[in-house]
Amino acid sequence: METVHDRLGRPLRELRISVTDRCNFRCGYCMPSDQFRDETHFLPHAEILSFEEIARLSHTFARELGVSKLRLTGGEPLLRRQLPKLVGWLAAIPGIDDLALTTNGFLLAEHAKSLRDAGLRRITVSLDSLEPHEFARMSGSSEPQAAARLDRVLGGIDAAIAAGFLQLKLNCVVIAGQNDGAVLALAERFRGTPHIVRFIEYMDVGTQNHWRAGDVVTAGQIVQRIAARWPLEAIDPNHRGEVAQRFRYADGGGEIGVIASVSQPFCGDCRRARLSADGKLLTCLFAQTGTDLKATLRGGASDAELGARVRDAWQQRQDRYSELRAKLRSSRPAAPRRRLEMYQVGG
Ligand code: SAM
């Protein structure tokens, strides 16, 4: 198998698979509650790839294109019934050596063990605050509801650890004026454990979150804040294309990460494709559209034809939205245009 490169010389290594566009949270930065009140926004079931279709495409990505890492995401992936069955199929694909899941953690306590038993190796839990008031604001819940939700997410984290996921990643999107307290609180909570909190700069994905440059707390500011309390040292990436910059506590208290997608874009190293819940291959988080693999698949294409379609799309790829945004130094590179939302693209 020959490694495919895009027009900027980047290989394809990782596939993020959105298994559903639905979510049980209404985070303002992704699926704001004022705009997502009913079911009309979401895909009808028949449009969503079946587990068989996801597995077949994953085989093709692994065998024909050399993808070795899969991550299941959404929407909220644990809303998809019988997810462990899919995990079992994907874990058995030759060439896949890393199978991960990103979840908001709400349903994790129920599923952690069966996911582990099915072959899932790594879990990232999104956790934007430990404080109910901030958590409510970030996740689009009422305050009493937020306290119960937060407890469930924390219970999900404990259950995942008990099920054998010994090093979790915790993702926290930091938004100025919304969850400022979360930075030190989360760092403190997970200091001294093997778990890694990763602070993410708020990104202008989609158009429904009304992103403004002023809402972004930069990775540099986050590192400064933490280092002022617990000195930090930068450490090398685990591998080429790793999105988080890594830091360790100078006193040996473990590790944190920051994802500087806005202030220091890393498009040059992006080796990731995304498969939307309705089977579109997307070559950038900021894509407006993608290659319809579901139509190819349902039209009866052979594995070789599917592989050729993906190879073609990757070879055409020249996306580097975040770098262009940074170059233009404006809040948006052009007048707002239609872009896919994070829950559609698969975060
Ligand atoms: N529902 C799952 C979850 O909450 O982890 C998976 C999907 S979610 C879209 C994946 C990740 O994208 C989450 O960690 C979320 O915080 C992040 N995310 C969504 N919108 C974002 C934005 N505008 N900027 C930065 N990160 C964002």
Side-chain angles (χ1 to χ4, degrees), residues 232-244:
L232 291 170
E233 296 163 352
I235 45 179
D236 288 339
N238 286 307
H239 55 82
R240 177 114 196 254
E242 184 167 42
V243 295

Side-chain angles (χ1 to χ4, degrees), residues 281-344:
L281 170 68
L282 305 158
T283 54
C284 179
L285 186 53
F286 297 90
Q288 294 183 73
T289 180
T291 305
D292 189 354
L293 296 182
K294 182 181 67 188
T296 311
L297 196 67
R298 293 188 183 173
S302 66
D303 288 350
E305 284 163 342
L306 270 176
R309 190 100 207 271
V310 176
R311 190 172 302 113
D312 242 35
W314 192 261
Q315 282 170 339
Q316 295 303 317
R317 178 187 194 237
Q318 51 181 340
D319 311 86
R320 51 188 198 105
Y321 170 84
S322 296
E323 285 180 356
L324 297 176
R325 179 219 296 116
K327 278 205 176 100
L328 285 163
R329 289 180 196 205
S330 66
S331 54
R332 284 204 188 263
R337 36 179 199 145
R338 206 185 96 73
R339 284 203 299 241
L340 294 170
E341 302 297 324
M342 185 72 127
Y343 70 92
Q344 295 172 313

Side-chain angles (χ1 to χ4, degrees), residues 23-25 27 29-30 72-77 102-105 124-126 128 171-173 200-205 209 211 342-343 346-347:
C23 193
N24 43 3
F25 282 17
C27 305
Y29 52 80
C30 186
L72 299 177
T73 178
E76 172 47 42
T102 303
T103 172
N104 61 29
T124 298
V125 180
S126 300
D128 294 331
N171 273 359
C172 171
V173 178
I200 308 177
E201 290 180 358
Y202 176 31
M203 288 182 279
D204 52 336
V205 191
N209 58 17
W211 180 91
M342 185 72 127
Y343 70 92

Side-chain angles (χ1 to χ4, degrees), residues 174 176 180 183-184 199 201 213-228 232 258 263-264:
V174 187
D180 301 274
V183 173
L184 289 183
F199 298 96
E201 290 180 358
D215 296 332
V216 178
V217 182
T218 65
Q221 291 166 331
I222 292 166
V223 169
Q224 245 178 20
R225 248 184 239 175
I226 299 174
L232 291 170
V258 285
S263 64
Q264 298 164 61

